[in-house]
């Protein structure tokens, strides 16, 4: 009988305890935290009307937040998004889905800074923390 590996399953349906994500792990909660922080509408003006978005801006945003949390360089962000089950879980990558590459991550970060400013994600993340009561004003 064939066994299905975690890499073949959708990590959207994997119990985070099975992949050993602690109850307070950032990666465990990122998928739920991301939609209140940003939405696809926040990035509508990043791309030309006729162009197609090659990489999901929400996945790229998640990668930037994971990078900030773990203080790792761009190359390691992409490597961990490929290989680390907790990062794949956090980013909502399914099965053999490939995360965006280093160039896409860098371009997105540059575009984010140009269009929204250096502190866009910082402000949004702090606002979420205040709104949920994790931080007090």
């Amino acid at each position: 009988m064939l066994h299905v590996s975690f890499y073949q399953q959708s990590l959207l349906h994997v119990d985070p305890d099975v992949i050993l994500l602690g109850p307070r792990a950032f990666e465990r909660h990122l998928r739920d935290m991301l939609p209140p922080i940003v939405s696809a509408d926040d990035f509508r003006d990043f791309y030309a009307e006729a162009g197609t978005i090659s990489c999901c801006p929400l996945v790229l945003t998640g990668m930037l937040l994971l990078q900030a949390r773990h203080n790792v360089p761009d190359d390691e962000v992409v490597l961990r998004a490929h290989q680390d089950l907790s990062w794949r879980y956090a980013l909502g990558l399914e099965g053999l889905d490939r995360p965006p590459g280093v160039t896409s991550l860098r371009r997105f970060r540059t575009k984010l800074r140009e269009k929204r400013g250096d502190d866009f994600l910082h402000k949004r993340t702090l606002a979420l923390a205040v709104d949920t009561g994790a931080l007090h004003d």
Side-chain angles (χ1 to χ4, degrees):
M1 177 189 253
L2 292 175
H3 293 356
V4 177
S5 76
F6 283 118
Y7 286 106
Q8 294 169 318
Q9 294 183 51
S10 166
L11 287 175
L12 299 175
H13 306 292
V14 169
D15 180 352
D17 291 328
V18 173
I19 57 173
L20 305 177
L21 281 176
R24 297 184 56 160
F26 182 76
E27 294 83 356
R28 182 182 200 121
H29 301 285
L30 181 61
R31 289 194 303 192
D32 296 329
M33 292 182 332
L34 200 54
I37 295 172
V38 294
S39 71
D41 290 336
D42 291 320
F43 308 108
R44 293 255 183 252
D45 62 336
F46 279 34
Y47 307 97
E49 288 285 326
T52 57
I53 300 171
S54 60
C55 299
C56 176
L58 299 179
V59 171
L60 287 160
T61 302
M63 290 172 76
L64 290 175
L65 291 170
L66 285 164
Q67 181 176 35
R69 167 67 178 89
H70 294 283
N71 194 27
V72 294
D74 295 342
D75 293 340
E76 187 170 340
V77 171
V78 173
L79 179 67
R80 289 181 74 173
H82 272 284
Q83 297 178 351
D84 188 322
L85 286 177
S86 64
W87 282 46
R88 293 183 65 75
Y89 177 86
L91 296 170
L93 296 173
E94 296 190 29
L96 298 175
D97 286 353
R98 295 175 51 95
V102 174
T103 302
S104 296
L105 181 65
R106 289 176 179 160
R107 285 182 181 159
F108 179 76
R109 182 176 39 243
T110 299
K111 182 87 69 174
L112 185 65
R113 286 178 177 159
E114 288 172 358
K115 299 266 187 185
R116 302 288 180 262
D118 286 336
D119 57 352
F120 174 75
L121 284 179
H122 185 249
K123 284 182 180 178
R124 291 281 184 100
T125 304
L126 284 176
L128 176 65
V130 170
D131 291 346
T132 60
L135 283 179
H136 301 285
D137 201 7

